Amino acid sequence: MFDIKLSAHLAELSKLSFTETELYEVTKEMNEIVSLMDAVSDFTATEALNTAAAVGLDQIRADVKCDSTPRSEILKNAAKSEKNAFAVPKVV
Amino acid sequence: MSLKELIKTATLKELSNRLKNKDFSSVELTAAYLERAKELNQKTNAFITFNEAEALKEAKKADEQIAKGEAQTLTGTPIAVKDNISTKNLKTTCASKMLENNTPIFDATVVLKLKEQSAVILGKTNMDEFAMGSTSETSYFGAVRNPYDLSAVSGGSSGGSAAAVAAAQCPAALGSDTGGSVRQPAAFCGITGLKPTYSAVSRYGLIAFASSLDQIGTMAKTAEDCGILLNAIMGKDNLDATSAATPFSDSLSEINRGVKGLKIGLPKEFFGDAISEEVKVAVFKAAETYKNMGAEIVEVSLPDLKYAVAAYYLISSAEAASNLSRFDGIKYGHRSEIGETYEEVIKNSRSEGFGKEVKRRIMLGNYALSSGYYDAYYNKAVKIRQKLRFEMDEIFKSCDLILTPTTPTTAYKLGAGDKTLTKIYSADICTVTANIAGLPAISTPCGYDAAGLPIGMSLVSKAFAEPSLIAAANAFEKQFERRGAVL
């Protein structure tokens, strides 16, 4: 059962913030969604099933040095930049 | 016939041939499409961004190549691109407020490949936000409307690409398919949509939703056109570690093969109560057509299909929760003005930038991955994925193709009406298995409901069997009388 406490915990993990009303609404929706996901609980398999990587990565490319993208290009889509770097609020 | 009239029905193949024949120039063709696309966009809302100035420049360059006799298949042909595929210097929004002002500094590999052929990028098509949805209503830029009925949904998430092709706003388009996002809107909008084998087309530059399921696909009026576009974009790419070289160099190599001698399986689980009578009748009729063309039709079974939707949503949401954690408002994307600390800025940016459906998927993904729930949900879903792959492999030991409906119903009204979240999610039952198993699948129209809305059927084949898959769809299309959209 999905309750407000679990929703608040997941919102924290998801780096999302909700108002109290929104959180109530999300909890209701998540309960509905999780009831559909609960279908997997009935699944049992007799054979051994692989749970490792879903996609084979057997053709890794050679480790070749390439030019970096210029900083000015990278910063083009940042909302805030200063001194040729991303700008963030003061951390310490 | 005037160019304005011609583009209403012309296929990509026909336009390519006529450009080389110099019946008209690429500049004239591009201008005609831009005019039509912009005018009809007020009705369909299929495009988010038009690439007008650049498209005409690209068309001029293409004309020069044609004049020199250096044209390739797609030289000068206008192509639309879904707005989650990165285009250098052309806004790529993923239909989200989060990326409303995002202008990529590089091209996705598929876009680069189109440009290498001197195809003309006409614009970027509307979609469900971050490709999460099956109606194209979750777009920050408003819902896409179905050209067959403007009060109905286009399907999604590649709804803009599907509607644009159906309304002849472009001759062909790229979409992306994580759980049916190419095939389902193709079915709703009465066009053909191809999801290639996982890894056949590079995902470099496709804004990631669920990396183990995402696949760029092609959408056009015919299966042959889908193959033409696939030929241009497929192949090994060092920038995508999961990409593979296709064992075929031409997906159209068997185009005229027909279906004589092929064994087509109808999995009984795809024809249950959830599928409307009109859809069932149309798909069974298509099976009859195949039988008359010399194919053998057999009933097969996919016993664990009942777990497919839940497994798909758990895996895709888990991967989305991880992939979308990159959107912090700092490096790119929407940045909130509210927040004193680094953590607050990130949280507020994400909360303001993402829409409701995206937030739900991130929450579900983190739920499935979190301590105490991981084994019950994510781990179980991965096991189901493996089991479904075994079951598909088993079917392909005795069958060449699988035939199913693409959607349980035809397109429904905008606003979802009585549809709950679980009903909307459950409607993906016909398409998700191909993604889960990494197999190629194609949807093509096979009928119309009482209201005149298109019904789609899907063919699925074993991995890298695109040539026979496209040939089988093509064979049916030659027998089926298609109706145009109302526009």
Side-chain angles (χ1 to χ4, degrees):
Chain A
M1 182 73 181
F2 226 91
D3 57 20
I4 294 273
K5 205 176 147 199
L6 181 55
S7 282
H9 172 61
L10 287 169
E12 193 59 36
L13 289 176
S14 305
K15 297 203 182 301
L16 293 169
S17 52
F18 295 102
T19 63
E20 212 170 297
T21 320
E22 285 169 346
L23 201 59
Y24 174 77
E25 187 62 27
V26 168
T27 306
K28 216 171 89 183
E29 289 165 350
M30 292 307 292
N31 260 313
E32 189 189 338
I33 294 168
V34 170
S35 70
L36 181 70
M37 301 306 128
D38 281 339
V40 300
S41 63
D42 296 341
F43 175 78
T44 48
T46 46
E47 61 272 72
L49 294 168
N50 179 19
T51 56
V55 182
L57 298 172
D58 51 353
Q59 293 178 12
I60 304 294
R61 70 175 186 260
D63 191 10
V64 181
K65 190 185 161 197
C66 298
D67 290 338
S68 297
T69 308
R71 277 187 179 212
S72 56
E73 286 285 297
I74 290 171
L75 292 170
K76 266 183 186 170
N77 281 302
K80 286 182 185 171
S81 62
E82 280 172 37
K83 297 176 186 166
N84 218 15
F86 296 115
V88 295
K90 199 172 174 183
V91 178
V92 282
Chain B
M1 192 192 285
S2 70
L3 194 50
K4 215 171 166 177
E5 276 303 304
L6 175 79
I7 62 171
K8 289 183 185 171
T9 54
T11 61
L12 187 62
K13 184 186 176 185
E14 185 183 355
L15 294 174
S16 168
N17 289 337
R18 293 186 71 155
L19 278 168
K20 281 179 202 71
N21 210 27
K22 301 188 181 74
D23 292 349
F24 41 77
S25 69
S26 174
V27 169
E28 288 168 332
L29 182 66
T30 303
Y33 268 114
L34 279 169
E35 189 190 339
R36 181 175 170 83
K38 284 198 293 182
E39 190 189 318
L40 289 182
N41 216 44
Q42 290 162 26
K43 293 181 178 175
T44 62
N45 200 26
F47 281 84
I48 291 175
T49 307
F50 287 106
N51 189 29
E52 188 161 13
E54 205 53 40
L56 290 167
K57 269 192 226 165
E58 288 167 7
K60 199 170 167 226
K61 246 171 54 190
D63 282 333
E64 286 163 12
Q65 277 182 270
I66 294 168
K68 282 193 255 175
E70 293 170 358
Q72 298 177 70
T73 311
L74 293 179
T75 303
T77 56
I79 308 288
V81 176
K82 187 175 177 180
D83 211 21
N84 59 349
I85 299 173
S86 300
T87 41
K88 190 175 179 177
N89 299 330
L90 180 62
K91 225 183 243 190
T92 300
T93 69
C94 249
S96 178
K97 181 181 178 182
M98 178 59 85
L99 292 176
E100 189 181 5
N101 298 309
N102 177 57
T103 305
I105 57 171
F106 67 96
D107 275 322
T109 296
V110 290
V111 172
L112 212 55
K113 282 176 177 261
L114 290 181
K115 287 182 177 174
E116 279 166 9
Q117 286 222 4
S118 294
V120 175
I121 309 297
L122 207 60
K124 304 299 292 288
T125 54
N126 204 350
M127 53 184 278
D128 279 300
E129 185 183 4
F130 281 97
M132 295 173 189
S134 48
T135 63
S136 294
E137 289 175 294
T138 69
S139 167
Y140 176 64
F141 301 95
V144 179
R145 290 180 287 277
N146 191 316
Y148 279 82
D149 173 357
L150 293 171
S151 65
V153 298
S154 60
S157 63
S158 310
S161 290
V165 172
Q169 291 176 277
C170 64
L174 294 183
S176 68
D177 192 314
T178 304
S181 284
V182 158
R183 293 158 287 152
Q184 188 257 22
F188 276 9
C189 291
I191 64 155
T192 308
L194 169 69
K195 181 202 94 73
T197 307
Y198 181 82
S199 80
V201 177
S202 168
R203 290 181 294 109
Y204 179 72
L206 170 70
I207 296 173
F209 162 14
S211 306
S212 74
L213 300 162
D214 294 342
Q215 185 62 80
I216 292 173
T218 58
M219 306 172 85
K221 287 194 181 75
T222 66
E224 190 172 15
D225 280 359
C226 285
I228 289 172
L229 201 46
L230 174 63
N231 281 350
I233 61 169
M234 67 188 187
K236 173 80 183 150
D237 177 18
N238 275 340
L239 297 174
D240 173 1
T242 61
S243 88
T246 53
F248 52 87
S249 58
D250 179 8
S251 71
L252 300 172
S253 59
E254 297 176 25
I255 191 73
N256 294 316
R257 181 205 180 281
V259 292
K260 202 165 182 189
L262 292 186
K263 201 185 251 189
I264 301 177
L266 264 63
K268 58 183 179 192
E269 293 81 4
F270 281 82
F271 296 89
D273 293 343
I275 312 297
S276 80
E277 270 313 300
E278 281 177 307
V279 171
K280 274 187 215 170
V281 168
V283 178
F284 284 137
K285 212 172 147 195
E288 199 59 34
T289 303
Y290 275 125
K291 196 175 164 190
N292 293 337
M293 286 192 283
E296 187 187 346
I297 307 295
V298 292
E299 186 181 283
V300 292
S301 179
L302 198 65
D304 287 312
L305 180 71
K306 56 183 177 286
Y307 302 117
V309 168
Y312 162 75
Y313 274 92
L314 288 165
I315 294 169
S316 63
S317 299
E319 293 183 19
S322 169
N323 274 324
L324 271 63
S325 63
R326 74 191 67 182
F327 296 102
D328 57 6
I330 306 291
K331 300 185 289 297
Y332 43 78
H334 172 78
R335 176 162 176 164
S336 175
E337 291 298 328
I338 308 162
E340 296 294 316
T341 66
Y342 179 67
E343 278 293 316
E344 280 171 9
V345 169
I346 293 176
K347 255 190 179 182
N348 291 333
S349 298
R350 289 167 64 81
S351 302
E352 292 167 14
F354 291 139
K356 279 184 177 179
E357 182 62 20
V358 174
K359 288 177 188 171
R360 281 193 286 262
R361 303 278 183 115
I362 294 173
M363 294 273 281
L364 176 62
N366 280 326
Y367 176 61
L369 290 174
S370 59
S371 172
Y373 301 100
Y374 180 87
D375 280 332
Y377 291 104
Y378 182 75
N379 222 3
K380 226 24 177 325
V382 175
K383 283 182 180 171
I384 291 167
R385 168 186 217 154
Q386 188 72 7
K387 185 75 189 309
L388 282 166
R389 282 177 172 175
F390 288 158
E391 290 178 6
M392 291 296 263
D393 286 348
E394 203 52 42
I395 292 175
F396 286 121
K397 279 181 188 163
S398 60
C399 289
D400 299 288
L401 297 164
I402 290 172
L403 173 64
T404 71
T406 306
T407 56
T409 66
T410 51
Y412 38 87
K413 295 290 176 194
L414 287 156
D418 62 339
K419 292 205 179 290
T420 58
L421 283 170
T422 51
K423 268 191 187 168
I424 292 172
Y425 288 5
S426 299
D428 293 341
I429 184 75
C430 301
T431 51
V432 292
T433 311
N435 300 81
I436 286 175
L439 301 174
I442 193 165
S443 176
T444 190
C446 67
Y448 297 89
D449 71 7
L453 289 166
I455 296 170
M457 65 173 190
S458 280
L459 291 162
V460 186
S461 71
K462 53 186 154 193
F464 297 112
E466 277 86 344
S468 66
L469 185 73
I470 292 169
N474 176 62
F476 180 81
E477 287 175 359
K478 302 268 184 232
Q479 304 287 318
F480 179 70
E481 200 176 324
R482 233 185 252 195
R483 297 180 202 163
V486 289
L487 294 170

